[in-house]
């Protein structure tokens, strides 16, 4: 009899031990309050820095006298450079001028609240010391030091969130190859295929690398890309999403972990697609993406990775207007820089970021923790809501100085123009469609003037 009870006890203990693996959390079915709590810092942040950095900064857009027409980080594919030739750039990648403290402080100065850096782009080269690959900055470059660890430490020190980009497709990994039957074989690497029998190995490799990143640099966001290849499925994405969140439950993961890029509007609704936010690229959706979290990533010139001859810089005014336009639709702005192989941020980017920072110093508080405009966008600019205040951003200062606002005058406590130089109460006049705010006689000198409308 005693033996019988002992057997029952052992079986019960074994069952109890087995329970955790049977009841693994499905992070795709998170409750709304949990999700809101997890997304809070990201939603409040509104503005972040994207960094595309890797071996492609060595050719900087030109190889054997040929200039790449498209984006710099695609040079391997666009100029069809064989892997063993491209690998040689590692010997010239020596970013001795890299100063993570300066990079983070520049991002902060610009008013950015988080930073997302390429841990590995499509070329497969890792910017940290990976245990499962020698194709990384420590093992294959003269520099020989990890680039991500010091940057993550600086972010912690200076109080901004550290996040990483990671490419699912990998032009360097032996599991993948260029499809010779591709529509355009000269852009061979873009037609990435996988040897079916090697996919499991690659996924294991990717998960190991991602685990290394979680352990070494503790990213707040994992920003995937390169998911469009046929061999990566939504099921793979969901599995990866759960894998990462089971390691770090508070992690935020973009929709490119799976196939949600096309159906951004369906994102996270009933977990049709894995991922926490939509990622419009080089565009600002006309009406935002109502009902989902989203972030527009954009370049300052025309390339993500450094290209020495790309001088097509957007104006600071455009970049500030983009921050405002995106926030007025409830999104985040992820603005890119492409540092050089020496580790320098291009001078034009630094100038733009400092100018943006001057504006954000004065008006950033109206952007952070804000929500989308309750009104349609007016002809003259944008609205953003923050608590019970509406902020009006004047892109085009009307010659007659009359700003039409779709809010009844008797609902307005007061309207004032704010800023470093202006702080003036403005006259509010009632009209049938709402009210007219009378702007000051002299046009504001701010890049984008801001009016606060306090509601009753
Ligand atoms: O192919 C990449 C490209 O190089 C760059 O990284 C951008 C950034 O969002 N994403 C891909 C294209 O969608």
């Amino acid at each position: 009899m005693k033996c019988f009870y002992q057997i029952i006890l052992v079986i019960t203990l074994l069952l109890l031990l087995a329970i955790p693996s049977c009841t693994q959390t499905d992070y795709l079915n998170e409750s709304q309050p949990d999700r809101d709590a997890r997304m809070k810092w990201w939603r409040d942040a509104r503005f972040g820095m994207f960094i595309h950095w890797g071996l492609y900064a060595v050719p900087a857009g030109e190889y054997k006298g040929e200039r790449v027409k498209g984006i710099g980080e695609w040079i391997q594919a666009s100029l069809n450079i064989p892997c063993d030739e491209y690998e040689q750039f590692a010997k010239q990648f020596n970013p001795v001028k890299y100063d993570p403290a300066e990079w983070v402080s520049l991002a902060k100065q610009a008013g950015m609240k988080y930073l997302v850096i390429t841990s590995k782009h499509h070329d497969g080269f890792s910017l940290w010391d990976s245990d499962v690959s020698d194709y990384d900055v420590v093992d294959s470059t003269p520099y020989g030091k990890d680039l991500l660890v010091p940057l993550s430490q600086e972010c912690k020190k200076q109080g901004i969130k550290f996040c990483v980009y990671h490419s699912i497709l990998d032009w360097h990994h032996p599991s993948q190859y260029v499809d010779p039957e591709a529509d355009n074989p000269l852009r061979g690497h873009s037609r990435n295929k996988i040897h079916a029998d090697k996919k499991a190995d690659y996924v294991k490799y990717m998960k190991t690398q991602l685990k290394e990143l979680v352990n070494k640099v503790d990213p707040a966001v994992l920003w995937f890309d390169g998911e469009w290849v046929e061999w990566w499925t939504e099921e793979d994405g969901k599995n990866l999403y759960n894998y990462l969140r089971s390691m770090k439950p508070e992690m935020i993961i973009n929709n490119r972990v799976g196939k949600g890029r096309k159906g951004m509007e369906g994102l996270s609704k009933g977990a049709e697609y894995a991922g926490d936010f939509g990622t419009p690229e080089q565009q600002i959706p006309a009406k935002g993406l109502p009902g989902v979290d989203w972030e527009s990533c954009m370049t300052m010139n025309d390339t993500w990775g450094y290209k020495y001859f790309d001088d097509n810089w957007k104006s600071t005014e455009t970049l500030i207007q983009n921050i405002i336009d995106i926030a007025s639709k409830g999104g985040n702005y992820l603005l890119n820089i492409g540092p050089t192989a020496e580790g320098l941020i291009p001078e034009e980017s630094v100038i733009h970021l400092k100018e943006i920072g001057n504006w954000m110093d004065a008006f950033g508080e109206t952007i952070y923790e804000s929500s989308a405009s309750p009104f349609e966008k007016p002809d003259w600019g944008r609205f953003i809501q923050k608590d019970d205040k509406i902020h009006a951003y004047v892109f085009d200062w009307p010659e007659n100085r009359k700003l039409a606002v779709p809010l009844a005058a008797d609902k307005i406590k007061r309207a004032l123009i704010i800023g470093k130089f202006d702080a003036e109460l403005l006259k509010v006049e009632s009209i049938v469609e709402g009210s007219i705010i009378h702007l000051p006689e002299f046009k504001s000198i701010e890049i984008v003037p801001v009016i606060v409308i306090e509601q009753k």
Side-chain angles (χ1 to χ4, degrees):
M1 198 61 181
K2 194 176 159 203
C3 181
F4 172 76
Y5 283 121
Q6 276 172 342
I7 289 170
I8 295 289
L9 187 69
V10 169
I11 292 174
T12 315
L13 280 174
L14 285 174
L15 281 174
L16 280 174
L17 281 175
I19 281 174
S21 61
C22 301
T23 56
Q24 256 185 10
T25 316
D26 179 7
Y27 290 96
L28 291 156
N29 284 316
E30 191 176 30
S31 74
Q32 195 59 40
D34 284 356
R35 182 181 157 75
D36 290 343
R38 184 167 59 90
M39 295 300 290
K40 179 152 181 11
W41 75 260
W42 187 91
R43 287 176 183 159
D44 289 349
R46 287 286 175 250
F47 188 31
M49 175 182 271
F50 213 178
I51 307 177
H52 275 71
W53 200 26
L55 292 188
Y56 38 81
V58 173
E62 184 175 321
Y63 186 59
K64 292 188 175 163
E66 196 177 345
R67 284 183 171 192
V68 70
K69 291 206 178 65
I71 41 186
E73 71 284 4
W74 271 73
I75 193 165
Q76 180 177 357
S78 305
L79 298 186
N80 217 27
I81 307 174
C83 245
D84 52 347
E85 266 180 53
Y86 185 87
E87 274 176 7
Q88 303 306 315
F89 291 136
K91 297 189 183 135
Q92 296 167 62
F93 189 68
N94 194 13
V96 288
K97 298 194 174 148
Y98 174 46
D99 184 343
E102 205 175 292
W103 286 21
V104 176
S105 125
L106 183 63
K108 282 196 72 173
Q109 230 183 308
M112 292 157 154
K113 300 285 188 187
Y114 60 107
L115 168 162
V116 184
I117 183 167
T118 46
S119 57
K120 179 196 83 164
H121 203 265
H122 310 330
D123 63 4
F125 181 79
S126 304
L127 263 60
W128 78 99
D129 186 12
S130 174
D131 295 336
V132 288
S133 171
D134 282 345
Y135 196 42
D136 70 36
V137 65
V138 175
D139 298 314
S140 338
T141 74
Y143 186 67
K145 284 180 280 182
D146 195 306
L147 296 171
L148 301 187
V149 170
L151 192 62
S152 68
Q153 288 166 346
E154 265 310 317
C155 282
K156 234 169 221 144
K157 195 161 138 200
Q158 297 193 41
I160 77 171
K161 297 277 186 185
F162 177 79
C163 316
V164 295
Y165 165 112
H166 200 81
S167 173
I168 289 170
L169 74 80
D170 187 321
W171 296 327
H172 187 265
H173 195 272
S175 61
Q176 290 154 64
Y177 64 100
V178 177
D179 177 12
E181 304 293 316
D183 314 350
N184 180 357
L186 278 181
R187 284 180 48 93
H189 298 286
S190 64
R191 312 297 298 184
N192 167 289
K193 292 264 155 102
I194 202 158
H195 298 287
D197 57 339
K198 299 209 175 103
K199 180 170 165 181
D201 283 352
Y202 177 65
V203 173
K204 191 169 162 214
Y205 168 82
M206 203 167 69
K207 283 184 166 171
T208 311
Q209 284 213 316
L210 289 165
K211 191 174 185 178
E212 288 177 6
L213 284 168
V214 172
N215 291 334
K216 288 182 191 216
V217 295
D218 189 28
V221 173
L222 246 156
W223 209 106
F224 285 101
D225 201 4
E227 82 298 354
W228 60 81
V229 284
E230 284 156 17
W231 53 264
W232 187 252
T233 66
E234 181 56 30
E235 201 191 331
D236 293 330
K238 286 188 170 143
N239 180 295
L240 190 55
Y241 182 93
N242 269 323
Y243 171 75
L244 287 164
R245 290 211 42 220
S246 63
M247 261 190 289
K248 181 173 173 166
E250 69 275 30
M251 186 185 281
I252 295 175
I253 299 168
N254 71 341
N255 64 340
R256 299 186 189 178
V257 68
K259 299 299 218 192
R261 181 184 322 215
K262 274 189 262 141
M264 279 178 302
E265 37 322 306
L267 187 90
S268 286
K269 289 270 167 65
E272 187 186 349
Y273 295 107
D276 299 314
F277 61 94
T279 49
E281 179 171 321
Q282 299 287 41
Q283 48 148 327
I284 303 173
K287 305 249 174 211
L289 296 177
V292 300
D293 292 299
W294 61 280
E295 175 197 65
S296 274
C297 55
M298 296 174 100
T299 49
M300 278 195 209
N301 48 359
D302 289 329
T303 184
W304 303 93
Y306 180 62
K307 229 172 106 171
Y308 78 90
F309 50 91
D310 183 341
D311 291 324
N312 194 22
W313 300 96
K314 295 171 185 76
S315 70
T316 301
E317 185 181 15
T318 300
L319 299 173
I320 293 173
Q321 290 186 353
N322 285 349
I323 302 177
I324 297 166
D325 187 22
I326 292 169
S328 80
K329 297 165 182 166
N332 282 11
Y333 189 34
L334 188 63
L335 182 59
N336 184 72
I337 58 162
T340 68
E342 278 189 297
L344 292 175
I345 300 176
E347 193 49 36
E348 292 81 353
S349 302
V350 175
I351 294 169
H352 280 110
L353 289 169
K354 289 189 174 164
E355 287 173 357
I356 293 174
N358 281 338
W359 188 88
M360 289 296 277
D361 255 358
F363 304 111
E365 283 315 313
T366 72
I367 305 279
Y368 308 125
E369 296 167 42
S370 65
S371 33
S373 166
F375 311 123
E376 284 287 304
K377 81 177 156 64
D379 300 338
W380 44 259
R382 298 289 182 274
F383 292 113
I384 297 178
Q385 170 129 30
K386 178 149 180 193
D387 306 322
D388 56 354
K389 292 191 185 109
I390 302 283
H391 292 103
Y393 301 81
V394 187
F395 292 2
D396 298 305
W397 187 270
E399 266 181 36
N400 63 6
R401 298 189 281 113
K402 292 179 176 177
L403 214 61
V405 174
L407 193 67
D410 61 1
K411 294 265 180 301
I412 297 178
K413 188 155 73 179
R414 56 183 196 151
L416 60 163
I417 187 160
I418 53 167
K420 284 193 218 110
F421 310 103
D422 328 273
E424 189 179 328
L425 217 55
L426 303 174
K427 188 179 145 204
V428 180
E429 182 193 340
S430 173
I431 55 165
V432 182
E433 302 82 10
S435 49
I436 294 285
I437 294 178
H438 291 263
L439 294 175
E441 193 179 338
F442 297 105
K443 188 176 171 204
S444 165
I445 57 161
E446 302 290 356
I447 296 189
V448 179
V450 182
I451 319 290
V452 188
I453 305 171
E454 294 175 4
Q455 300 183 84
K456 281 185 186 154

